[in-house]
Every structure is written in structure tokens, then in C-alpha cells.
Amino acid sequence: MPLFAVPPPEPPGRELGQTLATGPFSRALSLAIDRSGLGLARLKDRLAAAGVPVSTTTLSYWRTGRTRPERPDSLRAVSVLEDVLGVPPRSLIELLARPGHPDTPDPVRWERLWGPRNGVLPVLHSFDAADETSLLVLSLHEVLEVDADRCLTRLRVREVVRVLEEPVQAKVVALRGCVPGRPPRLVSTRYCRPVRTEVLPELGFVISELVPSRSMAVGETAILEYEFEYTDGVPDAGYDRRFRHPVAEHLLEVHFAPGAQPATCHAYRLDAPGGPERDVTAVPVSPSMPAHHFATGTAPGIRGMRWSWS
């Protein structure tokens, strides 16, 4: 029996149909492109033939949420895309026309990401910034270190965020240790500072609010860097990140110490804790480079990596 079983695929178009109804635009466009099987270069050619040229770079930015179509010629291109991609007329245009920022739908609830009975929920809800939507995460890069004893030792995170509205408040980051009793520690920050940190030893959690180092205007981007240190010294075989909002791109790299290279490694996503693993992908493991997984247009939910030793 395989260690990682791939669940049956969802009926084609189900997620696309739901996203066309709820948004955001970038996710709907990305799903429509994936369903069509057309690459960005072919879409570029179709648009040029229709008299509305758009570069592949711009198409990539639209589908990942970095930018959005706003000018009249861009909106004409979206109308052509609706026909080329086989989605209902004006379905993408109407997502752009909705009030509020098109790529920041209401965040999914913490209960969906941690489970409705998790003891960390009351603490998460006590943070004023727990439902903050003024910062859009454009890029998230995580570096996880595993030592020779197969224990997680350090997590370094680098985020690129864009300001969507003022005033900019803090954002909440949460990390769980491998076992209850010895939670990780926030050991350093760069370009941001912690304003409140709560440690839940019995649950193995640390939760912190981070504020950018300077005030920013709407439309500006900022870099946030922070680092956690694991303290439990217990071997572990996985790590995951929980997303309340869509993220344009996510890179997770895992550095294994010499002699601790796993036999197998897989990336996956979950809609909720305990659910079936989806999009299971084998991750190459090599002494010459870290194991890593890169994803664009990451939807709310759980993204992670698991590994096993012989």
C-alpha cells in the first residue's frame, strides 16, 4: 500500500464554477486557464489575433494577483479571454467590477484551518489583527532546516506584501511545534517588529503580531522577514503552512543535514485538517540542493510537505 494515496479527482469545473461565483478574479482566471490546457503563449497569440495584444508577463500577473486588468483595452482583452477559455460571458468582468479589492475575498475562518475544537482558537481571535486584510501577500518564501537527528530546528520566512488600504495594522503569524509542551520561539525579525506575542506551552503554539517597520501608503510594497527556532528536539516528518487568503506565489524549501536525507518526499494540499491530501506531488531529494515545492495562485487552505526515511 503506498504511503501517500492520491484521492480521486474532483469533477472537472466544479471549483472553477464556484470561483466564478465568489471570486477572486485571479483565482477564477487561473482555474479557467488550467482547465483550457492553453499555455500563456497560446493565449497571447489568440488575443493578438483578436486585436487586443497582451504580453505573457501581464497574463501571468493577472492570474497570480500581482496586477489586475483596469484599462479599457485590458478589459476588452478579458472579454476575449472569456470566449477563448469557454467561461460564461461577463463572468470574469463582473468579478472585476465588484466593490472592494478583487483579490481579497473574506478570509477563511481560523476554525477551518486548525479545526473547530483546537484550543488555539480563543487566542487567535483575541488578536485585533486576526482578520486583517490591508496587506496582500504577493510572495511567500519559507526555508525549513532539519538537523542530523531528523528534528526541525529553524524556520526562516520572507514575505512580500502590498498595502491595500489604510491604516495598515499588524498581521498575525502562528507556528506549532512538533509536540505539546515546547513551542517554537520567535528569535528575530527584519523590516518588521513584533508588537504582541503569545506562547501556549501546553499546545505547542507561538503566535505573534508583526508590524512593518515604517508606515506605508496604499499601493506600496514591503518585505517582512521573521525567524522561528524549534525547541522540542523531536524528530518530525512534515511541515505545513495555513493560508487564510490567496497568495500569488509560495516557495517552501527544506534543507536536510548531511546524513539525514529522506528516502521519499511529497508536497500536498489540504482543504481542512484531516481531509484528503490533494495535488500530491513527488519532490526530488538530492544532497546538492534543498527539497522544494513552488506554487502559484495558492488558494486558502493548507499547503505542506511530508517526507520519510528508509
Side-chain angles (χ1 to χ4, degrees), residues 8-52:
E10 293 185 353
R14 174 183 294 178
E15 186 178 1
L16 173 59
Q18 294 173 343
T19 308
L20 286 171
T22 62
F25 166 82
S26 59
R27 181 63 178 163
L29 177 62
S30 183
L31 290 171
I33 292 174
D34 290 344
R35 188 189 67 169
S36 74
L38 297 173
L40 297 185
R42 293 180 64 187
L43 288 177
K44 172 189 172 183
D45 293 342
R46 298 282 187 92
L47 291 170
V52 282

Short mmCIF file of all heavy atoms in Angstrom, two decimals, residues 8-52:
data_model
loop_
_atom_site.label_atom_id
_atom_site.label_comp_id
_atom_site.label_asym_id
_atom_site.label_seq_id
_atom_site.Cartn_x
_atom_site.Cartn_y
_atom_site.Cartn_z
N PRO A 8 -9.36 10.44 -5.48
CA PRO A 8 -9.99 10.64 -6.79
C PRO A 8 -10.14 12.12 -7.08
O PRO A 8 -10.45 12.92 -6.18
CB PRO A 8 -11.37 9.96 -6.61
CG PRO A 8 -11.21 9.04 -5.45
CD PRO A 8 -10.19 9.67 -4.56
N PRO A 9 -9.93 12.53 -8.33
CA PRO A 9 -10.05 13.96 -8.65
C PRO A 9 -11.48 14.45 -8.53
O PRO A 9 -12.44 13.68 -8.70
CB PRO A 9 -9.57 14.03 -10.12
CG PRO A 9 -9.81 12.65 -10.65
CD PRO A 9 -9.59 11.72 -9.50
N GLU A 10 -11.61 15.72 -8.21
CA GLU A 10 -12.93 16.33 -8.17
C GLU A 10 -13.48 16.44 -9.59
O GLU A 10 -12.73 16.48 -10.56
CB GLU A 10 -12.85 17.73 -7.55
CG GLU A 10 -12.48 17.72 -6.09
CD GLU A 10 -12.52 19.12 -5.51
OE1 GLU A 10 -12.72 20.07 -6.30
OE2 GLU A 10 -12.37 19.25 -4.29
N PRO A 11 -14.82 16.47 -9.74
CA PRO A 11 -15.39 16.63 -11.07
C PRO A 11 -14.84 17.88 -11.75
O PRO A 11 -14.72 18.93 -11.12
CB PRO A 11 -16.90 16.78 -10.78
CG PRO A 11 -17.08 16.09 -9.46
CD PRO A 11 -15.82 16.33 -8.69
N PRO A 12 -14.44 17.79 -13.03
CA PRO A 12 -13.86 18.94 -13.72
C PRO A 12 -14.80 20.15 -13.68
O PRO A 12 -15.99 20.04 -13.88
CB PRO A 12 -13.68 18.42 -15.16
CG PRO A 12 -13.64 16.93 -15.02
CD PRO A 12 -14.54 16.60 -13.87
N GLY A 13 -14.24 21.26 -13.42
CA GLY A 13 -15.00 22.50 -13.48
C GLY A 13 -15.75 22.87 -12.23
O GLY A 13 -16.28 23.97 -12.13
N ARG A 14 -15.80 21.96 -11.22
CA ARG A 14 -16.57 22.30 -10.02
C ARG A 14 -15.97 23.50 -9.30
O ARG A 14 -16.67 24.45 -8.97
CB ARG A 14 -16.65 21.10 -9.08
CG ARG A 14 -17.33 21.44 -7.75
CD ARG A 14 -17.34 20.26 -6.80
NE ARG A 14 -18.17 19.18 -7.32
CZ ARG A 14 -18.31 18.01 -6.69
NH1 ARG A 14 -17.66 17.78 -5.55
NH2 ARG A 14 -19.07 17.06 -7.20
N GLU A 15 -14.65 23.46 -9.06
CA GLU A 15 -14.01 24.56 -8.35
C GLU A 15 -14.06 25.83 -9.19
O GLU A 15 -14.27 26.93 -8.65
CB GLU A 15 -12.56 24.23 -8.01
CG GLU A 15 -11.89 25.29 -7.14
CD GLU A 15 -10.48 24.93 -6.76
OE1 GLU A 15 -9.99 23.86 -7.18
OE2 GLU A 15 -9.85 25.73 -6.04
N LEU A 16 -13.90 25.69 -10.51
CA LEU A 16 -13.99 26.87 -11.37
C LEU A 16 -15.36 27.50 -11.29
O LEU A 16 -15.49 28.73 -11.17
CB LEU A 16 -13.66 26.49 -12.82
CG LEU A 16 -13.88 27.59 -13.87
CD1 LEU A 16 -13.02 28.81 -13.56
CD2 LEU A 16 -13.57 27.06 -15.26
N GLY A 17 -16.41 26.69 -11.33
CA GLY A 17 -17.77 27.24 -11.25
C GLY A 17 -18.00 27.98 -9.95
O GLY A 17 -18.61 29.06 -9.93
N GLN A 18 -17.49 27.42 -8.84
CA GLN A 18 -17.66 28.09 -7.55
C GLN A 18 -16.89 29.40 -7.51
O GLN A 18 -17.38 30.40 -6.98
CB GLN A 18 -17.19 27.16 -6.43
CG GLN A 18 -18.05 25.91 -6.26
CD GLN A 18 -17.46 24.93 -5.26
OE1 GLN A 18 -16.29 25.00 -4.91
NE2 GLN A 18 -18.28 24.00 -4.81
N THR A 19 -15.68 29.40 -8.07
CA THR A 19 -14.85 30.60 -8.02
C THR A 19 -15.39 31.69 -8.94
O THR A 19 -15.27 32.88 -8.63
CB THR A 19 -13.40 30.26 -8.38
OG1 THR A 19 -12.96 29.16 -7.59
CG2 THR A 19 -12.47 31.44 -8.12
N LEU A 20 -15.98 31.32 -10.07
CA LEU A 20 -16.62 32.32 -10.92
C LEU A 20 -17.78 33.01 -10.21
O LEU A 20 -18.10 34.16 -10.49
CB LEU A 20 -17.11 31.68 -12.22
CG LEU A 20 -16.03 31.30 -13.24
CD1 LEU A 20 -16.64 30.49 -14.38
CD2 LEU A 20 -15.34 32.54 -13.80
N ALA A 21 -18.38 32.30 -9.24
CA ALA A 21 -19.49 32.89 -8.50
C ALA A 21 -19.02 33.74 -7.32
O ALA A 21 -19.67 34.72 -6.96
CB ALA A 21 -20.42 31.79 -8.00
N THR A 22 -17.88 33.36 -6.73
CA THR A 22 -17.45 34.03 -5.50
C THR A 22 -16.19 34.86 -5.64
O THR A 22 -15.93 35.73 -4.81
CB THR A 22 -17.22 32.98 -4.39
OG1 THR A 22 -16.17 32.09 -4.80
CG2 THR A 22 -18.49 32.17 -4.14
N GLY A 23 -15.37 34.60 -6.68
CA GLY A 23 -14.09 35.27 -6.81
C GLY A 23 -13.03 34.58 -5.98
O GLY A 23 -13.27 33.53 -5.37
N PRO A 24 -11.81 35.11 -5.98
CA PRO A 24 -11.40 36.35 -6.64
C PRO A 24 -11.13 36.16 -8.13
O PRO A 24 -11.03 35.03 -8.61
CB PRO A 24 -10.11 36.73 -5.90
CG PRO A 24 -9.52 35.40 -5.54
CD PRO A 24 -10.71 34.52 -5.18
N PHE A 25 -10.99 37.27 -8.84
CA PHE A 25 -10.75 37.24 -10.28
C PHE A 25 -9.52 36.42 -10.62
O PHE A 25 -9.54 35.59 -11.54
CB PHE A 25 -10.60 38.67 -10.81
CG PHE A 25 -10.02 38.74 -12.21
CD1 PHE A 25 -10.84 38.55 -13.31
CD2 PHE A 25 -8.68 38.98 -12.41
CE1 PHE A 25 -10.32 38.60 -14.60
CE2 PHE A 25 -8.14 39.04 -13.69
CZ PHE A 25 -8.96 38.84 -14.79
N SER A 26 -8.40 36.65 -9.92
CA SER A 26 -7.15 35.97 -10.26
C SER A 26 -7.28 34.46 -10.16
O SER A 26 -6.78 33.73 -11.01
CB SER A 26 -6.01 36.47 -9.36
OG SER A 26 -6.30 36.23 -8.00
N ARG A 27 -7.95 33.98 -9.12
CA ARG A 27 -8.12 32.54 -8.96
C ARG A 27 -9.02 31.98 -10.05
O ARG A 27 -8.75 30.90 -10.61
CB ARG A 27 -8.71 32.24 -7.58
CG ARG A 27 -8.90 30.76 -7.29
CD ARG A 27 -7.61 30.02 -7.28
NE ARG A 27 -7.79 28.60 -6.95
CZ ARG A 27 -6.89 27.67 -7.17
NH1 ARG A 27 -5.73 27.99 -7.71
NH2 ARG A 27 -7.13 26.41 -6.85
N ALA A 28 -10.11 32.69 -10.38
CA ALA A 28 -11.02 32.23 -11.44
C ALA A 28 -10.28 32.16 -12.78
O ALA A 28 -10.43 31.19 -13.53
CB ALA A 28 -12.23 33.15 -11.53
N LEU A 29 -9.49 33.18 -13.08
CA LEU A 29 -8.74 33.18 -14.34
C LEU A 29 -7.74 32.03 -14.36
O LEU A 29 -7.60 31.34 -15.38
CB LEU A 29 -8.02 34.52 -14.51
CG LEU A 29 -7.12 34.64 -15.75
CD1 LEU A 29 -7.94 34.50 -17.02
CD2 LEU A 29 -6.37 35.98 -15.74
N SER A 30 -7.04 31.81 -13.26
CA SER A 30 -6.06 30.74 -13.20
C SER A 30 -6.70 29.38 -13.42
O SER A 30 -6.19 28.54 -14.17
CB SER A 30 -5.33 30.79 -11.85
OG SER A 30 -4.33 29.80 -11.79
N LEU A 31 -7.84 29.14 -12.77
CA LEU A 31 -8.53 27.86 -12.94
C LEU A 31 -9.03 27.69 -14.36
O LEU A 31 -8.98 26.58 -14.92
CB LEU A 31 -9.70 27.78 -11.95
CG LEU A 31 -9.33 27.62 -10.47
CD1 LEU A 31 -10.56 27.78 -9.60
CD2 LEU A 31 -8.68 26.26 -10.22
N ALA A 32 -9.54 28.77 -14.96
CA ALA A 32 -10.03 28.69 -16.34
C ALA A 32 -8.90 28.37 -17.31
O ALA A 32 -9.06 27.58 -18.25
CB ALA A 32 -10.72 30.00 -16.73
N ILE A 33 -7.74 28.97 -17.08
CA ILE A 33 -6.58 28.69 -17.94
C ILE A 33 -6.15 27.23 -17.78
O ILE A 33 -5.88 26.53 -18.76
CB ILE A 33 -5.42 29.65 -17.61
CG1 ILE A 33 -5.79 31.08 -18.03
CG2 ILE A 33 -4.13 29.20 -18.31
CD1 ILE A 33 -4.77 32.12 -17.61
N ASP A 34 -6.10 26.76 -16.53
CA ASP A 34 -5.69 25.37 -16.30
C ASP A 34 -6.66 24.40 -16.97
O ASP A 34 -6.24 23.40 -17.57
CB ASP A 34 -5.64 25.08 -14.80
CG ASP A 34 -4.49 25.80 -14.10
OD1 ASP A 34 -3.57 26.25 -14.81
OD2 ASP A 34 -4.53 25.92 -12.87
N ARG A 35 -7.96 24.68 -16.87
CA ARG A 35 -8.95 23.79 -17.48
C ARG A 35 -8.83 23.77 -19.00
O ARG A 35 -9.03 22.73 -19.64
CB ARG A 35 -10.36 24.21 -17.07
CG ARG A 35 -11.43 23.22 -17.51
CD ARG A 35 -12.83 23.75 -17.29
NE ARG A 35 -13.13 24.90 -18.14
CZ ARG A 35 -14.35 25.41 -18.29
NH1 ARG A 35 -15.36 24.89 -17.61
NH2 ARG A 35 -14.55 26.45 -19.07
N SER A 36 -8.50 24.93 -19.57
CA SER A 36 -8.43 25.02 -21.03
C SER A 36 -7.26 24.25 -21.61
O SER A 36 -7.31 23.83 -22.78
CB SER A 36 -8.33 26.49 -21.45
OG SER A 36 -7.04 27.02 -21.18
N GLY A 37 -6.18 24.09 -20.83
CA GLY A 37 -4.99 23.44 -21.35
C GLY A 37 -4.14 24.33 -22.23
O GLY A 37 -3.16 23.88 -22.82
N LEU A 38 -4.50 25.61 -22.33
CA LEU A 38 -3.76 26.55 -23.17
C LEU A 38 -2.66 27.21 -22.34
O LEU A 38 -2.91 27.67 -21.22
CB LEU A 38 -4.69 27.63 -23.72
CG LEU A 38 -5.79 27.14 -24.66
CD1 LEU A 38 -6.74 28.29 -24.99
CD2 LEU A 38 -5.20 26.57 -25.95
N GLY A 39 -1.47 27.26 -22.87
CA GLY A 39 -0.39 27.97 -22.21
C GLY A 39 -0.53 29.47 -22.41
O GLY A 39 -1.31 29.94 -23.26
N LEU A 40 0.24 30.24 -21.65
CA LEU A 40 0.16 31.70 -21.76
C LEU A 40 0.59 32.18 -23.14
O LEU A 40 0.06 33.17 -23.65
CB LEU A 40 1.01 32.35 -20.67
CG LEU A 40 0.57 32.08 -19.23
CD1 LEU A 40 1.43 32.89 -18.27
CD2 LEU A 40 -0.90 32.40 -19.02
N ALA A 41 1.54 31.50 -23.76
CA ALA A 41 1.98 31.91 -25.09
C ALA A 41 0.86 31.75 -26.11
O ALA A 41 0.66 32.62 -26.98
CB ALA A 41 3.20 31.10 -25.51
N ARG A 42 0.10 30.66 -26.01
CA ARG A 42 -1.03 30.46 -26.94
C ARG A 42 -2.14 31.46 -26.68
O ARG A 42 -2.79 31.96 -27.61
CB ARG A 42 -1.55 29.03 -26.84
CG ARG A 42 -0.55 27.98 -27.33
CD ARG A 42 -1.11 26.59 -27.21
NE ARG A 42 -2.28 26.39 -28.06
CZ ARG A 42 -3.05 25.29 -28.03
NH1 ARG A 42 -2.75 24.32 -27.16
NH2 ARG A 42 -4.08 25.17 -28.82
N LEU A 43 -2.38 31.77 -25.41
CA LEU A 43 -3.38 32.79 -25.10
C LEU A 43 -2.96 34.15 -25.66
O LEU A 43 -3.79 34.90 -26.18
CB LEU A 43 -3.60 32.88 -23.59
CG LEU A 43 -4.35 31.73 -22.94
CD1 LEU A 43 -4.42 31.94 -21.43
CD2 LEU A 43 -5.76 31.60 -23.51
N LYS A 44 -1.68 34.45 -25.52
CA LYS A 44 -1.16 35.70 -26.08
C LYS A 44 -1.43 35.76 -27.59
O LYS A 44 -1.87 36.80 -28.11
CB LYS A 44 0.33 35.80 -25.81
CG LYS A 44 1.01 36.97 -26.50
CD LYS A 44 2.53 36.87 -26.37
CE LYS A 44 3.22 37.93 -27.23
NZ LYS A 44 4.68 37.81 -27.18
N ASP A 45 -1.21 34.66 -28.30
CA ASP A 45 -1.45 34.64 -29.74
C ASP A 45 -2.93 34.82 -30.06
O ASP A 45 -3.28 35.54 -31.01
CB ASP A 45 -0.95 33.31 -30.33
CG ASP A 45 0.57 33.17 -30.26
OD1 ASP A 45 1.25 34.20 -30.09
OD2 ASP A 45 1.06 32.03 -30.37
N ARG A 46 -3.82 34.19 -29.29
CA ARG A 46 -5.26 34.34 -29.52
C ARG A 46 -5.69 35.79 -29.31
O ARG A 46 -6.50 36.32 -30.09
CB ARG A 46 -6.04 33.43 -28.57
CG ARG A 46 -5.77 31.94 -28.73
CD ARG A 46 -6.50 31.34 -29.90
NE ARG A 46 -6.37 29.91 -29.94
CZ ARG A 46 -7.22 29.04 -29.38
NH1 ARG A 46 -8.29 29.49 -28.75
NH2 ARG A 46 -7.02 27.74 -29.47
N LEU A 47 -5.17 36.41 -28.27
CA LEU A 47 -5.53 37.81 -28.01
C LEU A 47 -5.00 38.73 -29.10
O LEU A 47 -5.70 39.66 -29.54
CB LEU A 47 -4.98 38.24 -26.64
CG LEU A 47 -5.64 37.57 -25.42
CD1 LEU A 47 -4.88 37.89 -24.15
CD2 LEU A 47 -7.10 38.02 -25.29
N ALA A 48 -3.78 38.49 -29.55
CA ALA A 48 -3.21 39.31 -30.62
C ALA A 48 -4.05 39.17 -31.89
O ALA A 48 -4.31 40.16 -32.60
CB ALA A 48 -1.76 38.91 -30.87
N ALA A 49 -4.49 37.95 -32.20
CA ALA A 49 -5.31 37.72 -33.39
C ALA A 49 -6.65 38.44 -33.29
O ALA A 49 -7.24 38.83 -34.32
CB ALA A 49 -5.52 36.23 -33.60
N ALA A 50 -7.12 38.64 -32.05
CA ALA A 50 -8.40 39.34 -31.84
C ALA A 50 -8.22 40.85 -31.76
O ALA A 50 -9.20 41.59 -31.56
CB ALA A 50 -9.08 38.83 -30.57
N GLY A 51 -7.00 41.33 -31.89
CA GLY A 51 -6.74 42.77 -31.89
C GLY A 51 -6.56 43.39 -30.53
O GLY A 51 -6.63 44.61 -30.38
N VAL A 52 -6.33 42.55 -29.51
CA VAL A 52 -6.11 43.08 -28.15
C VAL A 52 -4.83 42.45 -27.59
O VAL A 52 -4.90 41.55 -26.75
CB VAL A 52 -7.32 42.82 -27.22
CG1 VAL A 52 -8.44 43.80 -27.50
CG2 VAL A 52 -7.82 41.38 -27.38
#
